[in-house]
Amino acid sequence: MTEPRAVFVTLVRGGWATLWPWLILAISFGVNLAFYALLDDPAISRQSGGLLSLFATALVANLQAWTRILPFTLGLSGTRRGFLGGMAWFVGGQSLIAGVALTAMGLLEERSGGWGHGMRFFRTATLDPLGPLGRLAVLAGVFLAVCAVGGLAGAALARWGSVGIWVLSIGTATLVSAVLLALAWRGNLGDVVTVLDRQGPLQVWIGYPLCVTLLCAGCSWLIIRRSPLR
Amino acid sequence: MDAIAVSGVSRWFGDVMALDDVTVGFAMGRITGLLGRNGAGKSTLIDLMSGRAPTVRGTVRVLGSQPYEQRSVRRLVCAVSEAQPYPPAFRVDTVLTAARRFYPNWDDAVADDLVDAFTLRRRQKVGKLSRGQRSAVGVVIGIASRAPVTIFDEPYVGLDAVARDLFYERLVSDVCVHPRAVVMSSHLIDEVADLFDDVVVIDRGRIVLEGSAEGMRGAFAEIVGPTVSAMAFVDGLEVLRRRDLGGVSRITVRGADPSAARAQGLTARPLSLQEAVIAMASTTGGSHTRHDLPSVGVTS
């Protein structure tokens, strides 16, 4: 068995990383459905934000996969490169499954009239203009990017402990804030929004998540490449 | 050729020099004890030899190749440490199944036999295991991996005396049938001394003693007697430690013949391996001298 495959199987057998996000999503869905079923005010928006629970939990689950499975496989004479390869298959598979499952649920939601209560749990205004394949690609791409962010946080945590997470979070927030402030100060913030509008949802929701994924994967590799993780 | 060849390796952690120009070899088919005090550099050396950490200065060759990030080498090296990280949600059999995927020479029958011998419950989560049971899981992996290079870094923490004895017995019998290079760091020197074919003593990042365990047994002696007589006897020999009390000296010396000392009216007894290591560690505080004993299959 190749090492990436061994890591992949170990990650899948780990269980929690694949199952917890979906369990949380199911709970969120149930709560939202019950809420909208009890609500009889048609003026209230039926757009739920419950789908975010899947992405938030996937981020944490992937962070845990890095902090627990990486040292474990290194302890079993694995390599960092092999772990990254196995993790790429694992995250890629999760993203594809997420894309397919969420698209299917979105179509089902559409056909069922929002589960009989006009609820929009798996659909968003951004995804509405896209066909099933477009939705699948966007959802899978965003899921991939979220997993990659979780992986970067996990790499920082595995190497530097909680200090790493704090530095990474504060550093990223500072950098993003500084860029936004600089754009606003120069009066270019509107131009950025215009450019994003012109690019269309597929470019924005697939292209940028892929950039984030590659950036996070590269940074994660740099963090663990020569660290004496045990 | 040594299974593991370390040459001129130095390693710092900030201002602390963990390894200082270490050159040592570990032979195939032999069990070598890597001994030293806490913080002597044993675990750092093991990290480099097992390919867990990169070598910054010097070279480490395992089975002829550098091990860091080299899967072709790493798969032939099994390093079990007392701080082995296991995902707490994994069950014992999940851990062992994962290990089987990483070691090409893995032997299921040996693993099953050891799991039963250590009375481990396969369905129990690792996070619920006691310290000793977690160590037993590491021992199972180390022996069942049948890795040509197997390294144990204090593998017995928490194991009771019966389980430790079981570990030693199974390790020796397995190595006899399937020869490999075994390196074991340990603080329980007297308990494991009989396992070792060779011994390497490290202190403050330097190799202070290396050689065959057989050559080391009887190489050190403690001479006790009136200071004048004792000093006259050890004149010209290598004195490791001397303690005086009321005109009587207790001198730890290397290369003395105890029977010759007794013939001169002195009390003399050969030192155990543990006492010899303590004497070596006590004497290398400032000088970092290197002592080589006649070696059997060990490169100095």
Side-chain angles (χ1 to χ4, degrees):
Chain A
M1 185 181 282
T2 63
E3 194 195 355
R5 193 173 158 203
V7 171
F8 173 77
V9 176
T10 304
L11 283 161
V12 172
R13 287 285 182 90
W16 72 84
T18 36
L19 296 179
W20 283 121
W22 295 99
L23 183 64
I24 300 288
L25 182 74
I27 293 169
S28 172
F29 176 74
V31 169
N32 273 274
L33 191 59
F35 177 76
Y36 286 112
L38 294 170
L39 204 69
D40 58 1
D41 186 350
I44 290 181
S45 166
R46 302 257 152 174
Q47 177 68 58
S48 163
L51 192 57
L52 288 175
S53 66
L54 175 72
F55 295 96
T57 329
L59 189 147
V60 175
N62 278 277
L63 181 152
Q64 276 197 332
W66 274 73
T67 55
R68 292 187 174 163
I69 305 296
L70 172 61
F72 176 56
T73 57
L74 288 183
L76 294 179
S77 302
T79 62
R80 290 153 181 79
R81 202 180 303 122
F83 174 80
L84 208 63
M87 198 70 197
W89 280 106
F90 181 64
V91 168
Q94 279 187 89
S95 303
L96 192 62
I97 290 169
V100 170
L102 296 178
T103 303
M105 293 301 280
L107 291 173
L108 211 58
E109 184 173 272
E110 213 170 314
R111 301 244 168 105
S112 65
W115 312 102
H117 300 287
M119 182 170 79
R120 291 172 61 87
F121 188 87
F122 294 101
R123 293 169 296 157
T124 66
T126 312
L127 296 180
D128 281 345
L130 303 174
L133 274 180
R135 289 185 199 181
L136 189 155
V138 168
L139 288 164
V142 173
F143 194 91
L144 188 67
V146 167
C147 291
V149 172
L152 176 60
L157 188 61
R159 177 156 184 184
W160 295 300
S162 53
V163 174
I165 288 286
W166 285 113
V167 170
L168 185 69
S169 308
I170 294 169
T172 306
T174 307
L175 185 69
V176 171
S177 303
V179 169
L180 290 176
L181 281 173
L183 286 170
W185 181 60
R186 293 170 64 96
N188 296 126
L189 204 52
D191 298 341
V192 174
V193 174
T194 308
V195 168
L196 290 177
D197 272 347
R198 274 193 205 137
Q199 285 180 333
L202 276 182
Q203 276 173 289
V204 172
W205 290 103
I206 296 176
Y208 289 109
L210 280 180
C211 290
V212 170
T213 302
L214 291 174
L215 183 68
C216 289
C219 291
S220 302
W221 170 247
L222 289 176
I223 288 172
I224 65 165
R225 193 173 67 97
R226 291 183 72 80
S227 69
L229 294 167
R230 302 189 70 200
Chain B
M1 186 182 75
D2 285 326
I4 307 173
V6 178
S7 177
V9 166
S10 297
R11 176 93 177 168
W12 291 266
F13 293 108
D15 294 338
V16 179
M17 178 171 266
L19 295 175
D20 182 7
D21 196 24
V22 168
T23 297
V24 66
F26 297 89
M28 183 56 82
R30 298 179 74 81
I31 300 178
T32 305
L34 180 60
L35 310 175
R37 303 169 66 185
N38 291 329
K42 301 188 298 293
S43 294
T44 303
L45 183 58
I46 285 173
D47 280 348
L48 298 180
M49 294 193 302
S50 63
R52 282 178 181 156
T55 307
V56 177
R57 180 182 288 182
T59 57
V60 174
R61 291 280 180 272
V62 176
L63 303 171
S65 304
Q66 79 83 18
Y68 184 70
E69 282 296 290
Q70 294 299 320
R71 180 61 189 152
S72 58
V73 182
R74 292 267 287 153
R75 65 206 288 270
L76 303 175
V77 180
C78 178
V80 175
S81 91
E82 53 99 6
Q84 195 85 354
Y86 301 111
F90 274 23
R91 299 180 192 282
V92 170
D93 57 0
T94 315
V95 169
L96 298 179
T97 309
R100 184 176 59 187
R101 287 191 284 271
F102 281 85
Y103 297 111
N105 299 336
W106 181 265
D107 191 315
D108 273 327
V110 171
D112 290 344
D113 186 40
L114 286 167
V115 165
D116 292 341
F118 283 113
T119 60
L120 290 167
R121 284 188 292 153
R122 292 163 200 279
R123 301 291 297 163
Q124 188 155 11
K125 288 187 176 177
V126 177
K128 302 275 186 188
L129 295 178
S130 69
R131 188 73 198 81
Q133 287 172 316
R134 273 207 304 280
S135 292
V137 172
V139 166
V140 173
I141 292 172
I143 296 177
S145 72
R146 290 264 166 85
V149 173
T150 306
I151 303 173
F152 292 101
D153 185 6
E154 306 279 354
Y156 46 68
V157 175
L159 284 180
D160 59 46
V162 176
R164 291 203 302 273
D165 190 58
L166 179 71
F167 163 45
Y168 305 144
E169 183 252 317
R170 294 299 175 95
L171 176 68
V172 170
S173 59
D174 200 73
V175 170
C176 285
V177 182
H178 301 278
R180 43 181 151 162
V182 176
V183 179
M184 187 190 300
S185 82
S186 177
H187 285 126
L188 306 176
I189 300 172
D190 274 347
E191 186 172 295
V192 293
D194 289 340
L195 294 182
F196 299 147
D197 299 304
D198 300 316
V199 172
V200 172
V201 180
I202 186 168
D203 189 55
R204 299 168 206 229
R206 289 189 173 189
I207 304 296
V208 294
L209 190 70
E210 61 176 303
S212 73
E214 193 55 45
M216 207 170 295
R217 292 183 191 106
F220 297 88
E222 185 179 68
I223 311 296
V224 183
T227 302
V228 176
S229 310
M231 288 306 294
F233 178 76
V234 302
D235 186 34
L237 297 174
E238 185 181 350
V239 174
L240 301 177
R241 190 163 58 170
R242 175 183 156 189
R243 284 169 291 178
D244 297 325
L245 185 64
V248 174
S249 290
R250 186 179 291 268
I251 305 170
T252 304
V253 65
R254 179 180 160 186
D257 178 3
S259 57
R262 287 188 204 105
Q264 293 185 24
L266 298 166
T267 306
R269 67 175 182 90
L271 293 188
S272 69
L273 187 57
Q274 177 156 301
E275 290 171 317
V277 169
I278 291 169
M280 294 301 304
S282 305
T283 196
T284 55
S287 60
H288 288 311
T289 50
R290 184 183 166 103
H291 308 265
D292 293 317
L293 285 171
S295 61
V296 179
V298 174
T299 304
S300 49

